[in-house]
Amino acid sequence: MAQITLTELPENLQILLNQARQTGEILTITQDGIPLATISPIHSSKRNSFGCMKDTGDILDDIVEPTSNLVSWESLQ
């Protein structure tokens, strides 16, 4: 994929791109009424990785007591 900097583009295109970034609207480029390309701003949503699973688990039972009455644990005696 080819890349160029914003300063390499013509000034009126720079203005349109900055406007699209500020408003969040998609810019459609047409030729003779036929759409050729669309330019949309990139929305970077950085999610915090610490605590991302908060309130998603359920405690189903006590983790200290044995799972079965048939099992005898020495630590409980």
Side-chain angles (χ1 to χ4, degrees):
M1 175 191 288
Q3 293 183 353
I4 60 171
T5 63
L6 185 62
T7 56
E8 294 177 298
L9 297 172
E11 185 177 349
N12 58 348
L13 185 55
Q14 290 179 28
I15 294 169
L16 290 171
L17 289 174
N18 284 326
Q19 182 180 2
R21 180 177 38 182
Q22 291 172 354
T23 62
E25 294 183 11
I26 296 174
L27 176 65
T28 303
I29 302 169
T30 62
Q31 182 179 20
D32 299 326
I34 300 170
L36 294 175
T38 58
I39 298 174
S40 63
I42 297 174
H43 300 287
S44 60
S45 59
K46 187 172 183 177
R47 191 176 84 179
N48 191 1
S49 58
F50 183 75
C52 65
M53 297 295 291
K54 181 181 177 184
D55 298 328
T56 60
D58 293 326
I59 298 174
L60 301 177
D61 208 356
D62 188 4
I63 61 170
V64 177
E65 66 182 57
T67 57
S68 171
N69 292 335
L70 302 175
V71 177
S72 175
W73 290 6
E74 290 180 18
S75 63
L76 295 177
Q77 296 175 357

